[in-house]
Amino acid sequence: MKIYDDKHIKNVVFVGAHNTGKTTLAETMLFEAGLINRRGSIETKNTVSDFHEIEHEKGNSVFATPLHTEWRNYKINIIDTPGLDDFIGEIISSIHVADTVVTVLNGQHGVEVGTEIIWGYINKYHKPTIFVINQIDHPAFNFEESFKSLYGLVGQNAIKMQYPLVIDGLQCIIDLLKMKMYQFSAHGGKPKKLEIPEDQKELAEKLHNELVEKAAENDEELMELFFEKGSLTEDEMRKGIKAGMLNHDLFPVFCMSALNDMGSGRLMGFIDNVAPAATDLKLTQNLAGKEKLATKEENPTVLFVFKTVHQPNLGQITFFKVINGEIKVNDRVWNSRNGESEVLNQLFIMDGKNRNPVNKLNFGDIGATLKLKYTETNDVLATTDRKLEINTIQYPEPRIRKAVFAVNTKDEEKLNEALKKIHSQDPTVAVSFADESHELILKCQGELHLAIIDWILKNNYGVEARFEKPKIAFRETIQRASAANYRHKKQSGGSGQFAQVHMKIEPWYEGIPEPEGISIRGKEEVDLPWGGKLVFYNCIVGGAIDLRYLTSIMKGVLEVMEEGPLTGSYIRDVRVMALDGKMHSVDSNDISFKIAGAHAFKEAFLNANPKLLEPTMELTVKVPDEMVGNVMTELQTRRSIIQGIESSDTYQVLKCIAPEAELFGFSTDLRSLTQGRASFKMAFSSYQPVPINVQKELVNT
């Protein structure tokens, strides 16, 4: 396979809402370049990109798939991504390593919810972007409405490179850069290159001049030339368009039919000649000392791992981008995260499931290797053991959480191993064990994402799993002071057990004054692992209890605090005063005082107006203006307290505090209420008292 230098490698990612034609466009570009003999389709389940069994079953992309095409002495690496935001991790990681983003719109609908969500990430990463309005030959296609919706998304920086029209029943495209008309047969393919018809010249000239002005704005030299000549050459326009794309100030808009191969060659030509390459982008990588890592031969080869795939019969496939130098087969590299070394025994260019072996890859290229032992997504590999830092992929927080169990308890270990591999392949999946509830917690992006995980567990790893609502980590505390006196006595021949403990307990809070009216001989503060405090006072006078038994009393108290009397939840924020007691010279021992301390504390706790606390979350919900009322109603039904509303363009940002127990299913309901246009983030806020009616229900359960 031909090896390309860095100036002739272009990395593009296809993004867009569901059913916009990204996979079909990738297939058409491979066919147009002659890399495949016939085009596959989603319906016949034989595209290069969507090759996974689950993608065939679901009829849509689930994974981001790297592939490549070659056009006029350029190599174009393509990453075809899913259109549903449940798989946002696949989309973000692909955007991260692409040099140019190709955003595909369905010409029947224009900008959709999925487009808006993805645009947020493109804008955040400031990536050069091309827009493609697809399906020009569909009866319901509307170019002007689609462009208008695009204008509403990105503003006046969207600029037409082409516009479609039909002449004598044949689909045509007017190209405003080349000022030519491309006429296609009913079956698409290679077009006729014609002069622009007389009745279109005025409009084409007007749009061409707008394009010239937009190109000139991005380069001072071009602006001077424009003022001097009143126009720019095609090459000068290319230079200005490229500068605008790099500055994220110009977004070229193309039109095409991916299904019937109309306009794909022109798009590939633009990617070759104008779209930025890796050498054009600003270097984001740097050393630990913030020294810039220039692309010079004496600097190390650096690879960034953006994707990991676990295939049952093949093992781990690691996808990377060469961000400095070149990599050859059998090169040794060091992992900057863990210091481990790896040897790249094989290098591949991946086209869907097909592996094309190569001997080396140059700067800017995208490739893959097999069976690395110590490497995961977001790792940096380099031919130096110096620790390198680069901007890594920042994945969004999960939106739903479930407790997951193996249906067959014998498969629990197998389930754990499978979930580790799923997390390795998709970092937007998080897996943890909740010590308090003894549950394995799975977090992911949505119900569809969960269904895919379930499918993978069943079909790839042979594990049947069930998913349930996770238990909420409540806390217990008290609201007033209480005292208890407990005597533990046990006699069963020989040495018995005896201990008597008299204690007082009170609520504790930060800044509380010391107890009054008692003699304090000692004090111990315990920062509890589950949050809050236990403050334990020794108030024993006259040697009623030996000091050595106070530790045992406190152990008994802590034992009860680990499983509170109300719901078995952890107890927090209590101070305990050991006031008095009795001991026996023979029968008293540590275990006796531990038991007496535990019983005394439990009795005092139940008489101190115990209160259940629940975890609350800081919830930020971004909602389109017209949908705020419905979302606020939904939040209020979930016992949320709205703390503020801020405006953000055509959205409202609601900030509120909501009980975690009420947020189960919120992601799914919010998506349904807003047609997927709203988004939210949440983080732990604090523990707050549960309403009395809710507490009664929980205690009686």
Side-chain angles (χ1 to χ4, degrees):
M1 179 171 284
K2 183 177 178 180
I3 302 298
Y4 290 81
D5 63 34
D6 54 12
K7 294 181 179 61
H8 291 83
I9 297 170
K10 300 295 179 81
N11 299 306
V12 300
V13 56
F14 289 173
V15 302
H18 183 50
N19 280 338
T20 54
K22 301 179 294 295
T23 299
T24 303
L25 175 56
E27 193 77 5
T28 296
M29 286 172 65
L30 267 65
F31 174 76
E32 186 72 21
L35 270 71
I36 55 176
N37 297 323
R38 59 189 296 271
R39 290 189 298 159
S41 69
I42 304 296
E43 293 73 23
T44 54
K45 304 177 182 180
N46 59 347
T47 59
V48 174
S49 179
D50 285 0
F51 66 90
H52 295 88
E53 184 183 346
I54 190 170
E55 293 176 319
H56 293 166
E57 186 176 308
K58 300 292 182 183
N60 57 261
S61 300
V62 172
F63 305 104
T65 304
L67 49 154
H68 90 287
T69 188
E70 297 170 9
W71 190 250
R72 295 175 185 166
N73 210 32
Y74 278 83
K75 178 186 182 187
I76 304 175
N77 288 318
I78 300 167
I79 306 177
D80 178 28
T81 66
L84 297 166
D85 74 327
D86 275 57
F87 313 119
I88 194 68
E90 301 279 340
I91 301 169
I92 293 172
S93 60
S94 303
I95 291 173
H96 190 90
V97 295
D99 306 322
T100 300
V101 180
V102 176
T103 304
V104 184
L105 305 183
N106 184 324
Q108 302 172 58
H109 309 300
V111 170
E112 300 174 76
V113 173
T115 318
E116 293 177 356
I117 293 169
I118 294 166
W119 171 249
Y121 290 101
I122 298 171
N123 209 23
K124 175 183 175 182
Y125 295 131
H126 226 64
K127 287 283 185 175
T129 305
I130 298 167
F131 287 94
V132 174
I133 302 177
N134 192 18
Q135 301 183 4
I136 59 173
D137 52 350
H138 193 282
F141 177 81
N142 191 323
F143 181 75
E144 289 305 323
E145 283 301 313
S146 294
F147 185 79
K148 184 179 177 181
S149 69
L150 184 54
Y151 213 73
L153 181 71
V154 304
Q156 61 184 1
N157 291 332
I159 189 77
K160 292 177 185 175
M161 301 294 297
Q162 303 172 327
Y163 70 89
L165 73 162
V166 177
I167 299 177
D168 297 330
L170 296 176
Q171 185 67 55
C172 303
I173 293 175
I174 303 290
D175 193 285
L176 302 168
L177 178 61
K178 292 185 171 291
M179 288 303 283
K180 294 290 180 182
M181 183 175 82
Y182 297 98
Q183 185 184 73
F184 297 89
S185 72
H187 304 292
K190 188 174 181 179
K192 290 181 181 178
K193 192 174 182 181
L194 307 171
E195 295 301 318
I196 296 174
E198 285 297 324
D199 65 347
Q200 293 294 320
K201 279 188 175 179
E202 184 179 347
L203 175 60
E205 285 289 346
K206 175 179 176 291
L207 295 174
H208 174 78
N209 290 335
E210 289 178 7
L211 181 58
V212 169
E213 289 180 27
K214 202 68 182 173
E217 286 177 6
N218 295 284
D219 188 290
E220 289 184 11
E221 288 183 21
L222 292 178
M223 184 63 79
E224 290 177 9
L225 280 172
F226 175 67
F227 285 137
E228 183 183 323
K229 301 188 304 181
S231 187
L232 296 174
T233 67
E234 189 177 320
D235 284 342
E236 288 166 346
M237 289 174 68
R238 285 196 188 100
K239 180 182 176 184
I241 292 168
K242 184 175 186 175
M245 291 177 69
L246 284 165
N247 292 332
H248 205 58
D249 286 334
L250 192 153
F251 308 113
V253 182
F254 287 79
C255 58
M256 69 183 306
S257 169
L259 181 63
N260 289 313
D261 191 9
M262 298 175 180
S264 60
R266 183 69 190 95
L267 177 63
M268 287 193 283
F270 183 84
I271 292 170
D272 285 353
N273 296 326
V274 182
T279 51
D280 300 312
L281 301 182
K282 295 176 183 177
L283 289 171
T284 55
Q285 64 268 31
N286 54 57
L287 301 180
K290 306 303 178 186
E291 172 191 351
K292 285 291 182 186
L293 180 62
T295 53
K296 295 179 181 177
E297 290 182 4
E298 64 267 22
N299 276 331
T301 293
V302 182
L303 314 177
F304 176 69
V305 177
F306 69 94
K307 182 177 175 64
T308 303
V309 172
H310 293 274
Q311 288 195 0
N313 299 322
L314 192 61
Q316 179 173 314
I317 307 174
T318 301
F319 292 83
F320 59 83
K321 181 179 182 180
V322 184
I323 59 174
N324 204 64
E326 64 177 28
I327 191 72
K328 299 189 209 111
V329 170
N330 296 326
D331 276 355
R332 182 176 293 276
V333 292
W334 278 263
N335 188 314
S336 283
R337 174 176 57 86
N338 54 31
E340 297 285 354
S341 70
E342 306 260 28
V343 176
L344 277 62
N345 294 314
Q346 303 173 76
L347 292 176
F348 301 102
I349 299 295
M350 298 293 292
D351 287 320
K353 64 183 176 183
N354 299 319
R355 304 190 303 277
N356 306 302
V358 291
N359 291 321
K360 76 169 186 174
L361 292 167
N362 288 324
F363 166 65
D365 214 341
I366 287 175
T369 189
L370 295 178
K371 299 180 181 177
L372 298 187
K373 294 180 181 178
Y374 310 108
T375 300
E376 296 290 345
T377 299
N378 254 342
D379 280 347
V380 179
L381 303 175
T383 53
T384 175
D385 56 2
R386 284 184 292 162
K387 190 170 181 63
L388 304 177
E389 291 181 354
I390 72 162
N391 292 336
T392 53
I393 305 163
Q394 301 300 309
Y395 291 98
E397 290 296 316
R399 293 179 295 193
I400 68 169
R401 57 196 296 268
K402 296 274 188 175
V404 55
F405 306 89
V407 171
N408 186 339
T409 54
K410 293 179 181 178
D411 287 340
E412 286 179 1
E413 187 175 340
K414 200 174 174 183
L415 173 65
N416 274 285
E417 289 303 312
L419 288 173
K420 283 179 185 176
K421 288 183 178 178
I422 290 171
H423 166 71
S424 169
Q425 183 164 302
D426 182 359
T428 65
V429 177
V431 184
S432 60
F433 185 77
D435 292 327
E436 192 169 342
S437 62
H438 306 293
E439 293 175 323
L440 191 63
I441 303 298
L442 172 70
K443 300 178 183 178
C444 61
Q445 295 300 314
E447 295 295 337
L448 178 57
H449 197 194
L450 183 67
I452 298 300
I453 293 167
D454 188 26
W455 189 97
I456 292 170
L457 286 171
K458 194 177 299 178
N459 292 274
N460 290 4
Y461 299 103
V463 178
E464 289 272 356
R466 74 177 194 275
F467 303 91
E468 297 180 1
K469 181 179 179 179
K471 295 176 184 174
I472 299 298
F474 292 102
R475 296 288 181 265
E476 299 179 17
T477 192
I478 55 174
Q479 299 182 88
R480 63 177 177 83
S482 174
N485 189 355
Y486 186 85
R487 172 181 289 192
H488 173 68
K489 185 176 182 181
K490 185 177 181 182
Q491 197 71 40
S492 57
S495 297
Q497 292 181 355
F498 180 85
Q500 185 170 336
V501 173
H502 180 205
M503 69 169 59
K504 181 181 180 182
I505 66 173
E506 294 177 344
W508 175 89
Y509 56 87
E510 198 70 51
I512 187 173
E514 296 287 9
E516 295 181 355
I518 55 175
S519 176
I520 299 174
R521 299 302 183 92
K523 174 183 176 182
E524 187 170 348
E525 294 189 10
V526 180
D527 289 315
L528 300 167
W530 50 86
K533 273 195 178 184
L534 164 67
V535 182
F536 188 86
Y537 291 93
N538 170 18
C539 304
I540 305 292
V541 294
I545 300 175
D546 282 353
L547 287 176
R548 61 194 173 106
Y549 292 134
L550 288 173
T551 300
S552 299
I553 295 172
M554 191 168 77
K555 283 182 180 177
V557 170
L558 282 167
E559 195 173 84
V560 176
M561 292 185 79
E562 288 186 12
E563 194 170 345
L566 294 181
T567 60
S569 304
Y570 290 127
I571 294 172
R572 58 176 288 165
D573 298 333
V574 177
R575 68 179 184 184
V576 176
M577 289 148 276
L579 300 175
D580 199 2
K582 291 182 180 178
M583 60 181 179
H584 188 276
S585 58
V586 176
D587 292 343
S588 289
N589 51 32
D590 288 325
I591 189 65
S592 299
F593 275 97
K594 179 182 172 184
I595 292 170
H599 280 278
F601 178 75
K602 184 174 181 179
E603 183 181 322
F605 184 90
L606 289 171
N607 291 324
N609 196 9
K611 188 69 178 171
L612 201 59
L613 305 175
E614 64 181 343
T616 61
M617 312 299 286
E618 290 181 2
L619 188 64
T620 303
V621 188
K622 188 176 181 181
V623 191
D625 287 335
E626 65 273 20
M627 299 175 175
V628 170
N630 289 340
V631 173
M632 287 186 70
T633 301
E634 175 67 21
L635 287 168
Q636 287 163 358
T637 64
R638 294 174 181 270
R639 295 198 283 121
S640 303
I641 300 172
I642 310 292
Q643 296 192 311
I645 304 177
E646 298 174 1
S647 294
S648 175
D649 297 325
T650 58
Y651 286 79
Q652 297 293 321
V653 179
L654 310 179
K655 295 186 176 180
C656 54
I657 300 295
E660 183 184 357
E662 299 291 344
L663 292 177
F664 186 79
F666 177 67
S667 175
T668 304
D669 290 347
L670 181 67
R671 179 176 293 183
S672 176
L673 274 173
T674 64
Q675 293 83 54
R677 294 180 63 196
S679 61
F680 73 95
K681 295 187 294 186
M682 65 179 179
F684 175 76
S685 174
S686 62
Y687 274 91
Q688 295 296 327
V690 170
I692 293 173
N693 61 317
V694 176
Q695 177 167 320
K696 284 181 180 177
E697 185 179 329
L698 290 167
V699 170
N700 293 330
T701 300

